[in-house]
Every structure is written in structure tokens, then in C-alpha cells.
């Protein structure tokens, strides 16, 4: 631990550990994104049902495509 005026400022770790932590953070981020996407799928299915649409004819793949398309177009 590197300190400045007795306050921790930085940590020196091996490059191998750094890469391991970096990969772990990437996996955590991906899991959070996957969980958020699954939640949005469930919310979308619920919304479709509330609108009276029969979601039995819509596959999860189709719902995923619709959500991703909406997310992409939202940013434009």
C-alpha cells in the first residue's frame, strides 16, 4: 500500500493479479447486464400480456430481438 500523509493512495499488486481482477470485474459486469436484460424481458412479457397480446406465439428469441432493437433505436 502506498500512502500519502498516512492516507492510502494506491496498491501495488502483481501484473498477474491485476489481470485476474480485471477479468473478474468484466465477468461481474456481464452478469449484471445479463440479469438486467432478463428482467427487461420479463417486464416486456408482462406489458404484452397487459395489452391483451397472446405471448404464447412469441418466442424468447423474438422478445430479445425486439428489446435489443428498441434499445438500439433509443440511442439514436
Amino acid at each position: 500500500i502506498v500512502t500519502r500523509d498516512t492516507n492510502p493512495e494506491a496498491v501495488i499488486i502483481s501484473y498477474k493479479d491485476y489481470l485476474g481482477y480485471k477479468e473478474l470485474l468484466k465477468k461481474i459486469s456481464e452478469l449484471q447486464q445479463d440479469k438486467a436484460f432478463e428482467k427487461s424481458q420479463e417486464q416486456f412479457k408482462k406489458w404484452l400480456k397487459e395489452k391483451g397480446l397472446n405471448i404464447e406465439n412469441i418466442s424468447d428469441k423474438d422478445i430479445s430481438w425486439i428489446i435489443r432493437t428498441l434499445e438500439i433505436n433509443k440511442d439514436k
Side-chain angles (χ1 to χ4, degrees):
I1 299 175
V2 179
T3 61
R4 180 180 293 156
D5 297 328
T6 69
N7 295 318
E9 291 289 325
V11 176
I12 298 174
I13 60 173
S14 72
Y15 187 67
K16 182 180 177 183
D17 287 346
Y18 165 76
L19 292 176
Y21 291 133
K22 188 175 175 182
E23 184 63 28
L24 179 61
L25 289 173
K26 180 181 174 186
K27 288 179 182 181
I28 290 170
S29 177
E30 289 171 355
L31 288 172
Q32 289 173 332
Q33 289 173 0
D34 290 347
K35 187 174 181 177
F37 188 74
E38 288 174 11
K39 186 175 179 180
S40 67
Q41 279 185 303
E42 291 304 315
Q43 290 173 339
F44 188 63
K45 285 181 183 180
K46 182 180 176 184
W47 181 80
L48 289 173
K49 283 182 183 179
E50 289 172 356
K51 297 297 178 189
L53 299 171
N54 181 2
I55 66 165
E56 300 302 321
N57 299 330
I58 303 173
S59 70
D60 286 343
K61 184 177 177 180
D62 291 336
I63 289 173
S64 295
W65 180 85
I66 292 167
I67 292 170
R68 290 188 195 281
T69 302
L70 291 171
E71 289 175 347
I72 290 169
N73 289 331
K74 177 184 77 170
D75 295 335
K76 290 182 179 180

